[in-house]
Amino acid sequence: MINPRMSESYLRRFFRQTTEQGYARVTGNNSLVAGLPGDDWDFFLDAGKIGEDIGLWRKDLLGGNWQKIKTSTSWGNQGLRYYKGDAWYRQRITIPAQHAGSQIFLWFGGIDEDATVWINDKEVGIRTGTTFLPFEFEVTDAIIAGEENTIIIRITNEILNELGTGGIIYPVMLYTSKDDSDLEAVDDQWKGRDAILY
């Protein structure tokens, strides 16, 4: 960051796409349904990769060695530098009743490295190969408006890199869109660039 040329390149590589896409998802014809907090997530280390078999994706599963973690920074910055394997994140959030019947998307600003996502016991998507890049899932059928919803994410991080990061590293939010043409224009700017970002 001391070198001005390198700091601009770094910011463009790791923050520009997330910032531009995040802004597009809460402006224009889109609106924020709920922002998931950047701290106080439940977190479970799964070095043995048994979490799916024992049902960590179930919203009513109690017990276990869940800890607290922030998603505003990587797990590498929270004492797990160079941890490679699976980890689970869990967050509960109430969706305002006014969004009943709306098409709702779950947007991630970026993760390191792969994600499988469940909402209220329903698997809503799997994302691989998009480290540090934004992505989203349409989650309308899994969301219950006016009630508490449980979002569970399994992150798999297996590639060792110089950053020593891992997990959810950028904001997570639910949004609704009346017209996705604005989003397509922003997303089109980034098509074909993903491969050079990581």
Side-chain angles (χ1 to χ4, degrees), residues 74-161:
S74 75
W75 69 43
N77 290 335
Q78 298 176 76
L80 294 170
R81 194 158 180 85
Y82 301 119
Y83 168 72
K84 297 296 152 195
D86 286 0
W88 295 73
Y89 289 77
R90 181 174 62 196
Q91 185 62 261
R92 292 177 179 89
I93 191 157
T94 299
I95 304 301
Q98 70 192 52
H99 294 292
S102 299
Q103 185 178 31
I104 298 176
F105 298 86
L106 176 63
W107 181 83
F108 290 83
I111 61 160
D112 185 16
E113 153 184 344
D114 298 330
T116 305
V117 181
W118 292 263
I119 297 180
N120 299 326
D121 297 347
K122 295 179 184 176
E123 185 178 308
V124 296
I126 298 172
R127 190 62 169 207
T128 60
T130 55
T131 301
F132 302 118
L133 300 174
F135 64 93
E136 65 189 30
F137 301 116
E138 199 265 324
V139 297
T140 308
D141 293 339
I143 291 290
I144 305 168
E147 295 183 24
E148 184 179 75
N149 293 259
T150 303
I151 299 172
I152 298 176
I153 304 138
R154 178 184 60 209
I155 301 288
T156 301
N157 183 299
E158 295 180 333
I159 297 174
L160 184 62
N161 61 41

Side-chain angles (χ1 to χ4, degrees), residues 149-198:
N149 293 259
T150 303
I151 299 172
I152 298 176
I153 304 138
R154 178 184 60 209
I155 301 288
T156 301
N157 183 299
E158 295 180 333
I159 297 174
L160 184 62
N161 61 41
E162 75 282 3
L163 299 174
T165 58
I168 301 172
I169 54 175
Y170 294 138
V172 182
M173 68 179 163
L174 292 153
Y175 77 95
T176 185
S177 177
K178 296 184 181 85
D179 173 13
D180 61 5
S181 60
D182 293 340
L183 301 179
E184 290 172 4
V186 171
D187 294 351
D188 283 346
Q189 294 175 7
W190 293 97
K191 284 189 178 155
R193 296 163 121 182
D194 294 358
I196 64 168
L197 292 175
Y198 182 67

